[in-house]
Each structure stands twice: as structure tokens, then as C-alpha cells.
Amino acid sequence: MKNALHFKRLSSDDPCLQITWNGKPLDAVAGETVAACLLANSVLAFQGEDLSDPPRGPFCMMGACYTCRVLVNGVEQQACMVEVKQDMHVSCVDPEKEILHAGS
Amino acid sequence: MREVDLAVLGAGPAGMRAALTAANSGAKVVLLDEQQVAGGQIYREVNRQGVGRGALLGRDYTHGLTWVKEVAASNVEHLAEATGWQIENSGEITFSRGGQAQQIAAKRIVLATGALERAFPFPGWTMPGVISAGAAQILLKGSGIVPQKAVLVGSGPLLYLIAVQLLAAGSPPLAILETQSFESYLRSARLFPAALKGWRYFVKGTQMLLNLKRAGVTRYTGVSEIAAVGEKYVEGIRFQFRGQKKQLACGLILGHQGVVPNVQFSRALGLEHGWNDLQRSFTPRTDHWGRSSEERVFIAGDGAGIVGARASALQGEICALQVLHDLSFINTAQRDNTAESRRKELAVELAPRALLDALYRPPDWAVVPVCDDTIICRCERVKTGDLRNLAAGACVGPNQAKALSRAGMGSCQGRYCGLSVSELFSKTNGRSLAEVGYYRLRSPVKGITLGELASLAVGEALE
Amino acid sequence: MDFEYAIIGGGVVGLSIARGLSARGKRVAVFDGEDTDYRASRGNFGLIWVQSKGLQAPAYARWTRQSAALWRGFADELEAASGIDLALVQQGGWDFFFSEKSLHARASLYQGLADQLGERDDFEITDANKLKREEPAIGPQVVGALYGARDGHVNPLRLLQALGQTLQRSDSKYLTGCIVQSVRALASGFEINTANGPVRAQKVVLAAGLGAAILGPSLGFVAPVRPQRGQVIVTQKLSPFIRRPSGIIRQVDEGGVQIGDSNEEVGFDDSQQLSVMAKLAQRAVKVYPVLANASIVRSWSALRIMSPDGLPIYQESRLYPGAYLATCHSGITLAAAHTCLLPSWLEGEESAPRLEAFSEERFAL
């Protein structure tokens, strides 16, 4: 079921923003969270998709479960707690083996 | 450190009403909330919705708009996107805003941090494609994203509400699998007369079921042995219905077993808690003003026991009245006059609660998985069997189990395994939940960075 | 008699002693308390640490070194018996310095001890350049470190689990949730009274940590132990970037970075203090700047069991022979000695280690 449509945007407005997910461009709508945007683009696993670990996706959407953590412009954040912004770079983290990105 | 009369944590119905009540009587009030706009999860982003989305979500949702507007127009200082992570009994609150740690000293604190959905662990529940039903609703409210062909599974009024909302959004659920059984109805029948005072809820409930029936949404009641099926992603759901094994193909499972108080702060503060068997959860002890075991700390709304949005708002007001009285903004007569009418309204709102609690009480297997392989701690992937072995052996309780198994040690700090682990110990060792207790929670209750914590260092540095 | 030994206290100290006795074929009962008791065995830092120990007390330095040397063998056996990986690494450890002056002052103390013990190549002054090669993530404010070759670390929770699990599989009893209310000397042996009834044993070892101060007097001990609070912070799991542990920061085998430690005299208060946590964080970021971006997953405080001079106490009761007090704040470091060496002392054998220096009579006025 990986490629089936799981979530649909309610709004008929065209997506007006662009972000990237692991380097690939995705359409985004102003006001939606990063988590919502990924789901609307059929990205269900936010962590561990290409790794030996079982993949993980978001679960609670309210900042409590911490399974939706992603890197937003290099900083680890909860995808459900951040709104999309034009040209935001979002990528997968492996929470088990995160490498710190120094502030420089 | 900046000082205020009252700091309210959480801008849901309880928090908004507490803050407004106090501020309207002249108290200096700060309202802290993680989200960008007030409303809490229940009225999430209600002020941002166009007419369309509001209509779809229903009047119980749009109702919150009045309060959100009132907060904006009031003297309440609303600190949005502020994540509280440490509270001291002295009234000092530390929170993050824009990656910066800040502190406020408050003479009184109202915790209005609401509820979390109860964890509903079943085989496969950690796969991408299983989300909580509340999460689906948040996606709808906050981001206008609608789940497609989802299977709703579990129990509780929210399950039907979400089903109806999905229907209105043009994406009816594939099916609703309800875990409450015929016994649930029998058990709760005697509570029905007392609940009639809250008749409006039943009218609403009946309408919802009727809508679902008309739309042809299949409901299976009394299901058990639920399992998400799939290799790495959800491909279907398996369950037992009327003695038969069934399977539906689906890519999305929305699970729900009601909500439970969010006790992260009340536990980290070391407040007294008790076991509430009717609601199958721990609740902080409060007096009839909402005051906790610490004089300065009050709790209003679902965080002190599940009551629902309207009752939460009333509790927020009642808390604020006592806060105002504590700080001499109002006298005893003023406090009691207003409180009396609020309590009457509260009684009506609470009338159906016992019935709802009994009817939608989660079955045992939905709290503590039967299958030893089922993950109970999502963060650390600890399996039920590992914990059962510990409990059956020499391990005395959840805190020792945490040390020995890592259950509850992860990022969510036990939010989604705590109750299951306590219940597992109670069941395995035949001890009451009050005896078993719960994880000892500590601050920071939210994941802040070390750099942010370091920024609070004052005085001489350590060698 | 129900048991040959009753050990009061089921933390790492009590369980280590029980393991040693049990290996000698003794029938042991270990009494352990409740879920929320003060438990240093759950809150400690997991170091097997030698370099700073016994700077003023060579006997303690020797005892510590003996234990550190025994640790590998002790761990191998315990791992084999339990199937639990203890994540023991003894490849040296650091003591970091932010000023040359304090580094050299400390080094001269180390030299003094090394001379007394007659040990050469005991430690090494590591300058900033060399340290940077050894620990690439080190920050510019660290001017150097003292390197101790005998230092190491272990997963202390898995140690606790392995000790408990293997004890349960032996002929001995691990009685948990079983609080000892009183102990009484009989004409022969001792009676241990618990909520679940009395248990008799020929000998009794009081290894109850801070609880020893309560039960001690009835066995003729003073047990002058006091709590000393230490706060600890743990970050999210990270890929390995810290090569060797230090007394204040170590990366655990699961990936999280553990940050300590404070020494606070606040009595029986195991709450946390934000001002102290902030300073711990500040120092950690100074040592490894990259940590500034790491998320904190949990933090806690725990109470050390401290004697007046910080050294262990091993004492047989003069009033009631057969009753022993064993307490220390370095239960992890000394676990190997407690398993391998302490039983022969309890049994009064000729080959027993000389522990007179650790008698509680040293505190008598």
C-alpha cells in the first residue's frame, strides 16, 4: 500500500509552496505542518525508510510521541509542530544513530 | 525574572477560560501554549478555518472561536509557540520559545494541559500507516488533510465524530471496528437514567450513528484480536468478529481508545495522584476548586480527569475564581456567587460522563496486549513479553522495569506506554494500580537541546 | 536456619556480594525494597573509575585498582551466565581541565599517589593537541586532560539486571518488594523481620545503602552514611563520537550521552535543581561543543551513599559477630571486588583481603 493515496488535501487551491524531502521537491500548502505535507505527498515513513530498521511514521500529530522527528534545515524537529515554509529542506533522521550537525 | 499573578499552561478550553476569568478581574495573566494559535487540540486552529472547513467539523468545533477571539482581545498575554518544560512548586516556569529558554515566576499556576489519547497497542501498531484517530482529526483541523479509505478501530465517542467528519469531507472511512461489546452496554445500562440530564449528547450521538448508517459505512461491533497486517507498511487489518476471523485491505488504520489525562507536568511536580478506575487512568488529586496537593498549583480540564471541552472550560473558570480569591482580587462572596452558577452548569455537563466512561471503557486486551511480541514502548521498541517476564520475576514495579528494560526511557517519556506498563504490573502481580504506581517523571518534560539548557547557567561555571 | 547469609539490600552492592557467596555454594537470601525507594543502582553514572580514587588514601586506591583489574573476568563470567551484554569497555578515561594550573595541580596529586603505590606509567598528562587527536570532538576551551589507563565504563542497568537474573536462577532467593523492618541477633544467627514474615540466617550483611543508617544500630553499627545528591542528564541517541569516558561525560553503548555530575549536600532530596542542571549542560557543551544541538531525553537525580571520608565501610559487628556492614558509593567500580574478594573476608579466610582501613571505627572520636 506504499504508493496508494492515503491522504488528500481538502483545499482545491493549488499548492503554492515548494519544500524538499530528502532532496526531492514536494508541493506544499501554506498553513499545513511539515508532517501533514509529507503525508499529503504519500510519505508515510519519516524515519528509517532506507535502513534495516523498521520504518516509522508520525503517530499523534500533537508533539507528544516524537516519532515524526525530521531534520528541518538541518535542525531536528517534530514534523507535526512546524509549519511549512517556502524552500524548507526536510530530511530523514535515523534517530538511533543521529550525527550531530554543529551550529556552524 | 518576570513576575505574573497567574501563569496558565495550555490554551484549550480550560486554559482559555481560566486565563480570561482571571484577567478580567484584573490579574496579570500569561497563557503559554505550544501551538501557533489558541484553542488547544479541540479547537485547533479554529480561527484560521474558512467557512467550509468549519461547517465540516461541526458546531462543537466552531464554538471555540468565541473564546479564541476573546483571548486575543483581552489583557491575557498569550505566548504562542511556547513549550513549557520545567515547573517548580515555587511557581517558576521555564519554557522554550524560538529555541530560547525563558523563565517566568507566577504566584499561581493553572495546568490546563488536557489529555492525550490512550495508547492502543496491538500487533503492528508501530508501522507507518497506523496513526491515532485524534491525529487524523488534528490533520483535518490544522492542515486540511483528509485520510482516505481508513479503517477506524477502537472505542469512544471521538471515533464516531471523526467518522462523521471524514464523511462530511467526502472521504468516508472504509469501516469502523468497535471494540466495545454487548457486555459494555449491559455494564453501563444502569448509569443511563443519571446521564439523561446531559440528553443533548445523546441526541448528537444518535444523529452521528444515523449519518454513518445512511452513508453505508460498515460497523463491526465487539471486535477483538486486532492486528495491523503488512511487511513494513500497513496493508490491511485483521480482527475477530462474531467468532470469525476477518481481514480488510487498507493502507491506513486510525486507532482510538479514548483519552486520558496528560500528567507529565503534574507528575514531574511530584503532585499526589490517585487511580481512577472508572476512567482507567491516574489522575492528580484536586479539591473542588481544582487545587492540587501543592498550594500554588491548580489543574483544570481533562488533565485532572476526563470531562470534555465544555466542562473543562467551566473548571477553568472555577480554578481562576479561587486563584483570584487567593490573591485577594475578589472576596469570598464574589467567588462563591459566580462559582455556584458554574458548578450547576458543570453538573449538567458531567451528567453523562459515568455512562460514557463505562460504555467506552477499553477492553483489557486493548491496554495490555495479549501477544508477547507486541511492542508496548514505541520509543525503545520494548515488547510486552519482556515486561511480563520482568513482572513475573523479581521486578517490583514500573520504575524498576524502566531501568531493566528501557520501557519509558525514550523521547516520549512514557506518554504512550506508562499506563499499559502499570496495568501490566497490576495484572501480573495482583497488586492494585494505586500500589503499583507510575513512572517517576522528571523535567524537562519536553525535548529541549543541551545548548538551550546551558543558556540558563548563571554564576560561576563548573570546573 | 533458612539461609547461610541474609543480605539486606538488593542493589549492585548487595547483589555483587550475593553473587560471590552464591558461587561458593552458599545459600543466600537478598532482601530488596520497593519500586520507588532511593536506588543509587538505578541512578549512577556507570563508571569503573580509578584515576581519582584514593588520592589521600592509598588503601582505597589499591582496593579500587584490584577491583578494576578483576572486572574483565567478572564481566565475562556474568555475561556468560546471564546472556546479557554488559558493554564493558576498559580502554582508559579522561579527566578534563579548563586551566593549565588546575591540570598540573591535579597531576602532582596523581604523581604523589603513584610514588606511594610504587606504580609507574600510572597516568599521563595529555595536552590539547594530543587530546584533539584522541577526541576529535573536543572543544577549544579544554586545555588538556589527565589520562588514566585503568579507567572504563559499563552499562550499569544491565549489570543490575544480570546480577538479579543470575541470582534468581541459583539456589539463592531474591526477595524483592520485601522491606526489612528489623533485624535481631539470636543465640545463633539472625532473624530478619519483613512484612512477609521472619527469615533466619546464620550471617547477615547490611548492604542497604542509605537504609544502613536505620538498620545499623540494631546490629551494633554506627553506619555513618549520608546522602549526597548527583544530577544526571541523558541526550538522544547519537552515532559514536566520544571515544573515552570521563568523570563528567560518557557516551553509553546505546548511543545516548550521559552528562554529570553534581555533588550536592541536600539531605534526602532527590528532586532536581534547574540551576545545577544548567551548569552541567554548560560544562558538557564546553567539553564537546557539538552537544549544544543534542536533545535531552531524560534527566534525573540520585543520592550517593557517602561515608564521612568518602571511602567504603566494611565492618564486622563487635557486638554481634556474623553481622557485617558493607557500604560504598562506588558500587559499580567495586562490584568485581565485592563478588570475587569480599566473600573470603565474610568467611574469615586467611586469604581474605585486608580491610581494616575501611573499618567504621576509623570515624570514632
Side-chain angles (χ1 to χ4, degrees), chain C residues 184-257:
Chain C
R184 195 161 63 94
L186 307 171
S188 164
F190 297 87
E191 185 180 75
I192 292 92
N193 291 299
T194 74
N196 310 330
V199 176
R200 289 179 176 205
Q202 276 160 12
K203 290 184 171 187
V204 59
V205 181
L206 187 54
L210 293 166
I214 301 162
L215 291 169
S218 60
L219 291 171
F221 301 115
V222 181
V225 288
R226 68 171 200 283
Q228 186 191 61
R229 187 167 74 185
Q231 300 189 43
V232 178
I233 302 166
V234 172
T235 71
Q236 66 187 114
K237 292 170 183 172
L238 301 162
S239 60
F241 74 99
I242 295 178
R243 294 195 177 162
R244 290 193 177 92
S246 70
I248 55 170
I249 304 174
R250 73 182 189 101
Q251 189 165 18
V252 307
D253 58 304
E254 289 110 344
V257 176

Side-chain angles (χ1 to χ4, degrees), chain B residues 373-387:
Chain B
D373 276 339
T374 306
I375 286 173
I376 206 163
C377 162
R378 298 173 61 84
C379 298
E380 296 290 329
R381 293 191 187 277
V382 184
K383 291 179 174 176
T384 308
D386 297 341
L387 286 157

Side-chain angles (χ1 to χ4, degrees), chain A residues 1-11 29-67 69 75-78 80-85 95-96, chain B residues 34-36 41 44-45 48 53 56 81 83 115-117 119-120 125-132 134-136 138-140 142-149 169-171 232-236 249-252 254 378-381 411-413 415-416 445-447:
Chain A
M1 286 274 179
K2 193 182 162 188
N3 295 313
L5 180 67
H6 293 85
F7 292 90
K8 198 177 81 184
R9 288 198 176 96
L10 201 56
S11 146
V29 175
E32 67 190 12
T33 61
V34 170
C37 175
L38 293 176
L39 292 174
N41 282 283
S42 295
V43 177
L44 290 191
F46 292 13
Q47 297 176 1
E49 194 174 14
D50 304 318
L51 301 152
S52 52
D53 278 342
R56 299 189 192 206
F59 179 70
C60 78
M61 296 296 166
M62 54 186 281
C65 77
Y66 286 83
T67 43
R69 282 170 302 178
V75 179
E76 192 175 312
Q77 286 187 286
Q78 291 170 290
C80 71
M81 300 294 281
V82 183
E83 280 194 16
V84 290
K85 291 210 173 66
E96 308 297 327
Chain B
E34 278 187 307
Q35 302 298 331
Q36 296 191 330
Q41 299 304 339
R44 188 159 164 148
E45 284 162 72
R48 287 186 173 185
R53 217 192 287 177
L56 180 159
E81 292 183 279
T83 302
L116 293 172
E117 270 179 290
F120 179 14
W125 75 304
T126 55
M127 271 194 282
V130 180
I131 69 171
S132 75
I138 291 168
L139 282 169
L140 184 57
S143 299
I145 304 281
V146 197
Q148 302 296 299
K149 295 184 180 167
S171 303
K232 284 186 166 179
Y233 294 82
V234 172
E235 290 165 21
C250 66
L252 212 49
L254 314 182
R378 298 173 61 84
C379 298
E380 296 290 329
R381 293 191 187 277
S411 301
C412 93
Q413 301 183 332
R415 285 170 174 86
Y416 290 103
V445 305
K446 282 272 176 165

Side-chain angles (χ1 to χ4, degrees), chain B residues 140-208:
Chain B
L140 184 57
K141 288 176 185 173
S143 299
I145 304 281
V146 197
Q148 302 296 299
K149 295 184 180 167
V151 170
L152 282 160
V153 57
S155 164
L158 186 66
L159 207 63
Y160 305 124
L161 177 61
I162 292 167
V164 169
Q165 288 171 341
L166 294 181
L167 198 63
S171 303
L174 204 62
I176 307 177
L177 314 186
E178 297 169 27
T179 54
Q180 78 269 19
S181 56
F182 185 61
E183 284 73 38
S184 317
Y185 291 100
L186 284 183
R187 188 175 56 221
S188 47
R190 67 189 169 80
L191 297 164
F192 193 73
L196 277 177
K197 250 206 285 186
W199 59 272
R200 282 188 186 83
Y201 286 99
F202 299 109
V203 173
K204 263 186 245 167
T206 315
Q207 274 167 357
M208 286 199 288

Side-chain angles (χ1 to χ4, degrees), chain C residues 33-344:
Chain C
E34 275 301 338
D35 193 40
T36 51
D37 290 352
Y38 297 116
R39 287 176 181 275
S41 294
R42 252 170 20 200
N44 71 82
F45 208 68
L47 294 175
I48 293 163
W49 211 247
V50 173
Q51 62 167 294
S52 59
K53 301 282 175 66
L55 288 176
Q56 315 293 340
Y60 182 39
R62 279 191 203 98
W63 183 236
T64 299
R65 282 152 203 249
Q66 245 179 315
S67 190
L70 288 166
W71 241 102
R72 183 78 262 172
F74 162 71
D76 286 346
E77 279 184 26
L78 185 54
E79 285 179 342
S82 66
I84 293 170
D85 174 14
L86 302 180
L88 172 68
V89 180
Q90 288 178 292
Q91 291 172 358
W94 305 115
D95 189 2
F96 297 121
F97 292 88
F98 300 116
S99 90
E100 294 281 352
K101 202 176 147 203
S102 47
L103 169 64
H104 290 289
R106 190 74 167 173
S108 70
L109 281 178
Y110 280 22
Q111 190 57 56
L113 178 66
D115 292 346
Q116 255 183 303
L117 298 173
E119 302 219 14
R120 298 168 64 198
D121 302 328
D122 199 38
F123 69 98
E124 192 184 313
I125 297 175
T126 311
D127 66 21
N129 286 332
K130 182 161 187 210
L131 186 57
K132 185 82 188 166
R133 286 197 298 277
E134 297 283 333
E135 290 285 339
I138 206 84
Q141 292 194 67
V142 181
V143 301
L146 291 175
Y147 171 75
R150 295 175 171 84
D151 297 325
H153 58 158
V154 70
N155 185 316
L157 298 177
R158 278 194 240 133
L159 170 65
L160 179 65
Q161 191 186 10
L163 287 169
Q165 198 174 304
T166 49
L167 186 74
Q168 285 173 74
R169 291 196 201 135
S170 69
D171 291 336
S172 298
K173 278 262 183 303
Y174 187 20
L175 303 161
T176 53
C178 189
I179 292 170
V180 174
Q181 291 157 337
S182 63
V183 193
R184 195 161 63 94
L186 307 171
S188 164
F190 297 87
E191 185 180 75
I192 292 92
N193 291 299
T194 74
N196 310 330
V199 176
R200 289 179 176 205
Q202 276 160 12
K203 290 184 171 187
V204 59
V205 181
L206 187 54
L210 293 166
I214 301 162
L215 291 169
S218 60
L219 291 171
F221 301 115
V222 181
V225 288
R226 68 171 200 283
Q228 186 191 61
R229 187 167 74 185
Q231 300 189 43
V232 178
I233 302 166
V234 172
T235 71
Q236 66 187 114
K237 292 170 183 172
L238 301 162
S239 60
F241 74 99
I242 295 178
R243 294 195 177 162
R244 290 193 177 92
S246 70
I248 55 170
I249 304 174
R250 73 182 189 101
Q251 189 165 18
V252 307
D253 58 304
E254 289 110 344
V257 176
Q258 195 167 328
I259 294 156
D261 66 336
S262 60
N263 298 276
E264 303 160 79
E265 299 294 340
V266 291
F268 284 88
D269 173 0
D270 71 345
S271 65
Q272 290 156 281
Q273 208 186 336
L274 187 60
S275 57
V276 175
M277 286 166 60
K279 284 191 178 189
L280 296 178
Q282 184 187 40
R283 180 171 64 182
V285 171
K286 244 158 89 176
V287 175
Y288 294 108
V290 74
L291 280 174
N293 297 321
S295 289
I296 296 167
V297 172
R298 66 212 144 85
S299 75
W300 67 86
S301 79
L303 303 179
R304 294 184 189 86
I305 299 104
M306 294 302 277
S307 68
D309 59 6
L311 272 51
I313 301 173
Y314 304 109
Q315 172 82 53
E316 181 172 6
S317 173
R318 293 204 181 257
L319 279 178
Y320 307 107
Y324 301 83
L325 171 64
T327 182
C328 67
H329 97 273
S330 306
I332 307 299
T333 301
L334 297 177
H338 290 161
T339 293
C340 306
L341 305 177
L342 215 56
S344 71

